[in-house]
Amino acid sequence: MSVSVDHAQARKALGDAWEKIDDLTVVAPSAVVPHLETVILASDVTYKYILVTGILAKCVNPSVHPRALQVASTLQHSFDARSLCHDVVVNFEKAHGDLWGRSNEPYLNKPARHPEHDQTNPQLKNKRVAITVHQALEFAHNAPAPNAFAMLVHLLRLSKQRSETLPVATSQVETSYRRVVDFVQQFLATSDGGTHLVAVVGAFVALLNEGFDVRVYPPNVPDKFANTAGDIEIRQDKLLVSAYESKQRPINLDDVRHGVSKAKRAGVLEYCFVYSAGLAPGQEAAIQEEVLHEGENLDVLLLDVHDAYEEWAVALGPIRRAKFGITVVNLLRDDMHRSEVAGQAAELWNSRE
């Protein structure tokens, strides 16, 4: 049997809880506090949203089972956690800073793509946090209403404290062309699975396309789950204008063919391959031929980032160059969910002053 959770009441509950975070007389039960701290301080973003959404639902409708993720769950009194999270929790976060990772659609990530959260689920990789979330939600399920609300307040308190410790980069209008170029050169000296290149290219693309909807995705998300045309997408309203695929290793013929197939499927107008380690040895001619062939119906571009970033830095101009470090850090932290790499980028950018 499923039940509903009123979204208007959920917004009010979140607002009421936020107003209480400085009231230290509102305290979550001591037995569950370590569980809440473990989840909020962990690197796994999706578990944060699962925990907050489940406890919020319990505050609004005490009959719900907070471990339910979908109405189809066999848990008694399941509910639609995804719609509650995306409509209420995500929008609340947008107005209050980076509380849980600033994910636009957290329930599309693997830990949330199940009927309910279950610590025994073999598909959940981070077993320690998965178990902690399970136990915290079970505690909330059996807790009286005041305790559930206190748990929500404590979660928000912890989340606000976490957001205040996140890495930031400085912004100065006098930021020089040389500062941007030196930063990019040094940051790209390491790869981290292509994360560095995607963040750098994404920052340039975002700043050079102000007014458009630029979306940047982690490079290691499987295509069948991401449903994206590339690591970076530029949209105007519903039109997918451009897509970028970034490779911090030699790009090969299969990469090109796979990218072009995604471009055709998505209806993108142009597709740009950006690489930092050249073309795969022995495949250069075949790759160029493939690009020329596909170019009859689609703008397919090959771009060596080392040939491009100096010109991109010039095109930014002084005002946008001042935002470059902040943009790289924010993309890593909020869009790619790599807080530790965001910290490294912030430290490197700030050291260029």
Side-chain angles (χ1 to χ4, degrees):
M1 174 183 176
S2 64
V3 296
S4 63
V5 177
D6 187 278
H7 288 194
Q9 292 181 24
R11 293 187 192 95
K12 184 179 186 304
L14 269 177
D16 292 344
W18 184 260
E19 291 179 0
K20 292 290 186 179
I21 60 176
D22 293 325
D23 184 352
L24 300 184
T25 64
V26 181
V27 182
S30 58
V32 78
V33 166
H35 296 72
L36 306 183
E37 292 176 345
T38 294
V39 177
I40 294 302
L41 296 178
S43 60
D44 303 77
V45 170
T46 306
Y47 288 128
K48 295 179 176 60
Y49 290 97
I50 291 174
L51 181 61
V52 172
T53 302
I55 292 178
L56 173 62
K58 191 70 178 177
C59 290
V60 175
N61 185 343
S63 72
V64 305
H65 199 305
R67 282 201 297 111
L69 302 179
Q70 301 173 8
V71 172
S73 170
T74 57
L75 294 172
Q76 188 71 11
H77 294 165
S78 61
F79 71 104
D80 184 0
R82 176 181 174 181
S83 66
L84 178 64
C85 180
H86 289 186
D87 183 40
V88 178
V89 176
V90 168
N91 287 327
F92 178 86
E93 183 182 30
K94 289 178 179 177
H96 294 84
D98 184 356
L99 300 176
W100 308 297
R102 283 183 174 170
S103 175
N104 288 323
E105 296 183 314
Y107 273 60
L108 295 184
N109 297 327
K110 193 170 183 178
R113 293 200 306 269
H114 305 281
E116 65 270 335
H117 176 72
D118 190 334
Q119 64 186 7
T120 64
N121 187 338
Q123 297 183 47
L124 301 179
K125 292 184 178 180
N126 192 333
K127 298 300 183 184
R128 183 179 70 91
V129 178
I131 291 171
T132 303
V133 172
H134 183 115
Q135 293 173 343
L137 291 175
E138 280 295 321
F139 188 97
H141 183 48
N142 298 303
N147 283 359
F149 182 74
M151 290 174 66
L152 182 62
V153 172
H154 198 79
L155 277 173
L156 293 177
R157 185 181 295 140
L158 291 170
S159 301
K160 183 173 184 291
Q161 292 170 354
R162 168 192 169 275
S163 71
E164 292 170 347
T165 66
L166 294 174
V168 295
T170 60
S171 175
Q172 298 177 337
V173 174
E174 62 269 23
T175 296
S176 69
Y177 162 82
R178 181 49 53 189
R179 182 185 185 189
V180 173
V181 168
D182 289 347
F183 168 83
V184 172
Q185 185 177 43
Q186 189 166 343
F187 193 60
L188 291 182
T190 54
S191 169
D192 199 350
T195 298
H196 289 217
L197 181 60
V198 173
V200 164
V201 175
F204 277 122
V205 171
L207 291 170
L208 291 171
N209 291 275
E210 291 178 319
F212 289 82
D213 178 13
V214 177
R215 305 179 186 182
V216 180
Y217 305 98
N220 56 353
V221 176
D223 290 335
K224 64 179 180 178
F225 296 135
N227 194 30
T228 58
D231 302 314
I232 302 159
E233 296 178 339
I234 304 175
R235 296 176 181 270
Q236 185 178 47
D237 298 323
K238 295 183 178 181
L239 178 64
L240 181 54
V241 179
S242 303
Y244 291 71
E245 187 75 14
S246 304
K247 298 295 183 185
Q248 209 160 351
R249 57 164 174 76
I251 192 168
N252 58 50
L253 185 58
D254 285 342
D255 293 328
V256 174
R257 288 173 173 168
H258 182 59
V260 168
S261 69
K262 290 196 295 182
K264 291 178 178 178
R265 185 168 59 249
V268 66
L269 301 181
E270 71 172 7
Y271 205 85
C272 184
F273 295 94
V274 184
Y275 52 89
S276 63
L279 305 180
Q283 297 187 23
E284 296 91 344
I287 290 172
Q288 294 289 352
E289 183 178 349
E290 186 76 13
V291 169
L292 285 174
H293 172 71
E294 294 294 346
E296 296 177 4
N297 302 302
L298 170 72
D299 284 334
V300 182
L301 309 172
L302 289 173
L303 190 60
D304 188 328
V305 71
H306 300 293
D307 294 334
Y309 69 75
E310 293 186 3
E311 295 182 8
W312 283 343
V314 171
L316 287 178
I319 303 300
R320 288 180 295 188
R321 280 200 288 268
K323 303 176 184 177
F324 187 76
I326 291 176
T327 304
V328 171
V329 171
N330 289 350
L331 288 176
L332 284 164
R333 187 187 66 212
D334 302 335
D335 296 64
M336 303 169 71
H337 311 306
R338 295 300 305 273
S339 294
E340 73 283 6
V341 184
Q344 296 166 12
E347 182 178 0
L348 177 60
W349 175 260
N350 295 338
S351 72
R352 312 310 298 180
E353 293 183 344

